[in-house]
Amino acid sequence: MEILLTREQIKARVKELGEKISADYSGKGDLVLVAVLRGSVYFAVDLSRCLEIPFVLDFIGISSYAGAASSRGIVRITKDLESSIVQRHVLLLEDIVDTGLTLNYLMQNLRTRNPASLRVCAFLDMPARRIVNIPLDYCGFSLPDFYVVGYGLDHQERYRNLEVVAALKEMP
Ligand code: 5GP
């Protein structure tokens, strides 16, 4: 394993993102943070603690289909939002945007529910693997093409609780 982002780097960047998001949404009212289960949970908790504005934290659970559906980015919603997002500002919190297929699907799905606005905040961006180009409104870090774990990202359910982000070089 090679550490790519330390605990200190992550903490400082999440705080910066929190300040920027707080400034951008200040006075706009009714912000719903939508965290994508399960990878973005650690990021969502830390980021939300840095916000200085009121918000509702909600979760959407997804699971990939095998085969052709997965290559088109079609995912199954395993847990839907508790909150209505109609005419509310929505900030989607993703752990990592890789091909962009999952994000594209989620954005299309959430847009049909008529939010007042829909933006994305991704903890990690891997532009080298992008298939669908979706602009990220907020992004923690851009990384080269590695398979990474930690800070919510797993490999077969392991490593989510690492406080750093590391590249997994040899798959256990
Ligand atoms: P997509 O390719 O659709 O942008 O990424 C879909 C999902 O695959 C991400 O939300 C994340 O859960 C998972 N994923 C993509 N790249 C990585 C990676 O480098 N490490 C881990 N642990 N998961 C990844």
Side-chain angles (χ1 to χ4, degrees):
M1 253 197 222
E2 180 193 338
I3 294 182
L4 302 177
L5 300 170
T6 65
R7 190 168 69 162
E8 291 70 29
Q9 282 174 306
I10 295 172
K11 201 170 170 198
R13 184 67 186 129
V14 170
K15 186 164 179 284
E16 275 176 10
L17 283 175
E19 284 165 2
K20 173 97 180 73
I21 292 165
S22 299
D24 291 354
Y25 284 91
S26 170
K28 295 229 170 102
D30 243 9
L31 173 64
V32 185
L33 298 177
V34 173
V36 184
L37 295 172
R38 286 171 280 178
S40 76
V41 165
Y42 292 71
F43 176 50
V45 167
D46 287 349
L47 178 72
S48 62
R49 278 199 281 230
C50 296
L51 295 182
E52 295 142 17
I53 48 168
F55 62 86
V56 169
L57 178 60
D58 206 339
F59 299 91
I60 192 161
I62 55 167
S63 158
S64 307
Y65 285 113
S70 112
S71 65
R72 293 200 305 272
I74 299 173
V75 296
R76 187 163 56 96
I77 294 188
T78 54
K79 186 218 164 286
D80 208 346
L81 299 175
E82 307 278 325
S83 329
S84 161
I85 55 167
V86 178
Q87 289 310 314
R88 300 170 90 182
H89 296 289
V90 174
L91 183 59
L92 185 61
L93 305 181
E94 261 288 20
D95 51 0
I96 182 166
V97 181
D98 199 328
T99 62
L101 287 166
T102 309
L103 179 61
N104 188 42
Y105 180 86
L106 279 172
M107 294 286 278
Q108 283 179 13
N109 181 298
L110 295 178
R111 217 173 268 125
T112 62
R113 307 182 195 196
N114 295 319
S117 69
L118 178 59
R119 287 184 178 175
V120 187
C121 176
F123 173 59
L124 298 178
D125 179 19
M126 270 189 194
R129 293 215 288 244
R130 197 70 99 252
I131 293 175
V132 191
N133 195 18
I134 304 174
L136 303 178
D137 302 284
Y138 305 94
C139 170
F141 300 92
S142 251
L143 292 180
D145 186 2
F146 284 117
Y147 186 78
V148 294
V149 292
Y151 202 64
L153 288 154
D154 73 310
H155 174 62
Q156 296 175 352
E157 294 305 322
R158 287 183 64 195
Y159 310 116
R160 282 193 204 279
N161 58 340
L162 289 182
E163 290 184 285
V164 299
V165 169
L168 204 56
K169 301 249 157 120
E170 283 172 36
M171 302 293 178

